[in-house]
């Protein structure tokens, strides 16, 4: 073989690249524009995370006292209120979506005046409620914590994060309060 066949001329390659710079420019521009549109079409995800941690010893003692009195009064029932039981009630309450719907109504996330009928408003409210999802992470080997994530996903461009945060707080507070009321009603019956 001769030396010319094996030899690569760097100056020739640079010359070819220089002549085709318009093509590279348009290809790069096309990818930048595509990336911009793909990024902007992705829904914005707002995430609120509520960690369930083991109750303190002080609270555990209060539950033990309550359980003792409750079981003495209701000898036929052998129910015990523990942190796992409260966690289960809390998750069930969130999954019912009642507290989410109530929080959305109270925060006036949907203006009633913008809808022609009550049915149209209820349908829009239902669609907004369905944008909330709950995800449970069970305890893993490294931690004794389990967590519940309440996730809200929407594709608003001008989402008010402060309003969403307040909405999440209202949902969590309402669910906790309703669990407490349900426990009191169960105790009284």
């Amino acid at each position: 073989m001769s030396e010319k066949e094996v030899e690569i001329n760097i100056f020739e390659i640079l010359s070819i690249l220089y002549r085709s710079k318009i093509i590279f420019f348009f290809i790069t521009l096309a990818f930048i524009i595509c990336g911009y549109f793909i990024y902007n079409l992705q829904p914005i995800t707002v995430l609120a995370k509520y960690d369930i941690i083991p109750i303190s010893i002080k609270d555990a003692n209060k539950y033990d006292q309550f359980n003792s009195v409750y079981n003495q009064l209701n000898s036929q029932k052998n129910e015990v209120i523990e942190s796992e039981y409260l966690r289960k009630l809390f998750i069930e309450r969130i999954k019912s979506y009642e507290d989410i719907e109530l929080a959305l109504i109270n925060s006036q996330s949907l203006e009633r005046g913008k809808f022609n009928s009550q049915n149209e408003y209820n349908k829009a409210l239902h669609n907004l409620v369905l944008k909330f999802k709950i995800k449970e992470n069970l305890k893993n080997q490294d931690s004794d914590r389990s967590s519940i994530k309440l996730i809200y996903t929407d594709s608003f461009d001008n989402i008010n994060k402060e309003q969403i945060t307040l909405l999440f707080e209202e949902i969590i507070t309402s669910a906790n309060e309703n669990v407490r009321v349900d426990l009191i009603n169960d105790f009284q019956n």
Side-chain angles (χ1 to χ4, degrees), residues 32-142:
I32 290 172
I33 290 171
C34 287
Y36 175 78
F37 283 114
I38 289 171
Y39 176 77
N40 283 329
L41 292 175
Q42 298 296 319
I44 296 171
T45 300
V46 178
L47 172 72
K49 183 178 172 185
Y50 187 77
D51 285 327
I52 305 287
I53 57 174
I55 59 175
S56 68
I57 293 173
K58 182 179 176 183
D59 288 336
N61 288 336
K62 288 179 185 178
Y63 283 119
D64 289 341
Q65 289 173 355
F66 176 82
N67 289 329
S68 155
V69 170
Y70 181 73
N71 287 331
Q72 287 175 359
L73 295 174
N74 298 306
S75 57
Q76 69 272 17
K77 294 181 181 179
N78 196 14
E79 297 176 355
V80 176
I81 297 176
E82 298 174 325
S83 63
E84 191 59 34
Y85 176 67
L86 293 172
R87 178 186 178 281
K88 185 182 124 225
L89 290 177
F90 177 78
I91 291 170
E92 286 174 2
R93 188 69 200 183
I94 294 287
K95 284 183 177 178
S96 74
Y97 289 106
E98 293 172 16
D99 295 294
I100 295 172
E101 187 173 301
L102 186 63
L104 288 169
I105 291 170
N106 291 341
S107 70
Q108 297 177 351
S109 296
L110 293 175
E111 293 180 29
R112 174 65 184 97
K114 291 184 176 180
F115 298 94
N116 296 328
S117 67
Q118 184 66 31
N119 190 28
E120 198 176 290
Y121 172 76
N122 289 341
K123 190 174 183 177
L125 182 62
H126 179 73
N127 289 337
L128 191 57
V129 167
L130 292 178
K131 292 180 180 184
F132 287 86
K133 301 288 181 228
I134 189 164
K135 181 180 177 184
E136 296 177 62
N137 290 334
L138 301 177
K139 296 178 184 177
N140 61 27
Q141 297 168 350
D142 299 334

Side-chain angles (χ1 to χ4, degrees), residues 118-186:
Q118 184 66 31
N119 190 28
E120 198 176 290
Y121 172 76
N122 289 341
K123 190 174 183 177
L125 182 62
H126 179 73
N127 289 337
L128 191 57
V129 167
L130 292 178
K131 292 180 180 184
F132 287 86
K133 301 288 181 228
I134 189 164
K135 181 180 177 184
E136 296 177 62
N137 290 334
L138 301 177
K139 296 178 184 177
N140 61 27
Q141 297 168 350
D142 299 334
S143 173
D144 63 345
R145 288 181 154 195
S146 59
S147 66
I148 300 169
K149 292 181 182 180
L150 183 61
I151 301 170
Y152 173 77
T153 306
D154 208 336
S155 57
F156 291 132
D157 290 333
N158 55 353
I159 195 163
N160 185 341
K161 291 181 183 178
E162 186 175 307
Q163 182 182 8
I164 295 295
T165 303
L166 291 173
L167 189 62
F168 280 129
E169 288 174 6
E170 186 172 342
I171 292 167
I172 302 285
T173 302
S174 175
N176 277 324
E177 178 61 20
N178 285 323
V179 165
R180 187 186 72 78
V181 168
D182 290 345
L183 284 172
I184 290 171
N185 290 338
D186 287 348

